[in-house]
Amino acid sequence: AFVFPWLLSRRFVVVGRSLHPGQRRCWTIMESVWKGKLKVIAEGHLEVHNAKLGLDENGVEQWCEWAIAAIQEFCPDDVYISVLDFSENKIGDRGVRRILQLLLDLCADVGQMKLSGTGLTVDASDLLAHWLKRPFVKRPLLELKLDNTWINAEGAKILLKTATAATMNGRRMYPTLATTEEGRTTQYPLLIDFNRTNFCGRDIVSEAERELDHNRDEHGPLFCSMAGGKCT
C-alpha cells in the first residue's frame, strides 16, 4: 500500500464507539448530512460536495473515518471522485493530509479538487505534490482550486514543478489525452487556481511553461489563473 510515511505510526480513533446517547444523536445527524453530500453518479463514480460545512481538522478526520466505509459500499473496487469539494471550511494542512490519505487508502482518482477558502499553507503544497506523483494513476487530476488560501510563491512553485514532471503509464501526465463522447481524442490541461492568494506568480508560471515546452503540443498543458486573469 502507498501511504504517507508520517501516518504509518498514527492511530485514528474510530468515531462512534462508546458514545453516550447525546453523542450518538449528534453522530446520527452528522452522518445524515454527510450522506446527503455524497452523490453517486454511476458505478464507481462519485461526487463529494462538502463545501461550507464548518468542518475543522477534527471534523475532517471524523468524516474520513465515516467515508471510507461509505464510499467502499458504493465503489468496492475502482473509485473515481469527479468532484471533491472541501472549500470554505476551517481546515488546514492536517485536514488535507487526512483527506489525501483517505484517497490513497481507497486508491481513488479525483477529477476536480476544490480547497478554496481554507487555511492551507506551503506545507499543503508538499502534501498535494506528493499525492500528484503517486503511482498507479488511472485518471489524472484536471482541476485544483487553491484560491483564497495562504499558499505562497514557494508553494505554487512546488506544485507547478511537480505537475510538469508527473508521469502516467510511462508518459508525461499533462496534457492528458482523453476520448470525447464523439470519439475524438483531445488534450486536457491541469488547471491550478491560485487566484487571490497573497503572491503574484506570473514569473513562476512562465518558468513552469518553459519546462513544459518539450512535452506540449497544440495546447498549453498547464494554466494558472491569477488575480489579473489567466496566465498560460
Side-chain angles (χ1 to χ4, degrees), residues 46-131:
L46 302 171
E47 291 181 358
V48 177
H49 297 278
N50 282 351
K52 298 181 179 180
L53 287 186
L55 292 171
D56 59 10
E57 307 285 54
N58 292 329
V60 166
E61 191 163 307
Q62 292 173 352
W63 181 85
C64 289
E65 291 289 351
W66 169 83
I68 190 164
I71 292 175
Q72 286 176 333
E73 179 181 348
F74 298 112
C75 309
D77 299 312
D78 190 31
V79 181
Y80 180 58
I81 304 175
S82 55
V83 178
L84 181 66
D85 190 357
F86 278 88
S87 55
E88 305 297 331
N89 279 294
K90 302 173 183 178
I91 63 174
D93 300 338
R94 183 164 68 90
V96 168
R97 177 187 299 175
R98 185 65 181 100
I99 292 168
L100 295 175
Q101 183 62 54
L102 172 70
L103 297 176
L104 292 173
D105 291 342
L106 293 168
C107 297
D109 292 323
V110 177
Q112 298 178 342
M113 185 179 296
K114 301 181 180 182
L115 300 169
S116 309
T118 58
L120 304 190
T121 71
V122 64
D123 289 341
S125 298
D126 280 321
L127 298 170
L128 289 163
H130 194 131
W131 180 79

Side-chain angles (χ1 to χ4, degrees), residues 10-11 17-18 24 27 46 50 89 105 152 169 175 221:
R10 180 162 185 185
R11 294 185 59 193
R17 290 182 180 172
S18 303
R24 280 196 293 271
W27 174 249
L46 302 171
N50 282 351
N89 279 294
D105 291 342
N152 57 16
N169 299 326

Side-chain angles (χ1 to χ4, degrees), residues 133-148:
K133 60 186 181 182
R134 69 198 183 281
F136 313 118
V137 178
K138 296 180 180 178
R139 286 154 293 200
L141 184 69
L142 297 178
E143 182 175 348
L144 178 59
K145 293 188 69 66
L146 298 170
D147 53 299
N148 201 20

Side-chain angles (χ1 to χ4, degrees), residues 194-209:
F194 294 117
N195 191 28
R196 295 187 301 282
T197 50
N198 56 343
F199 75 96
C200 180
R202 291 182 182 275
D203 54 337
I204 296 173
V205 176
S206 297
E207 181 182 341
E209 282 294 310

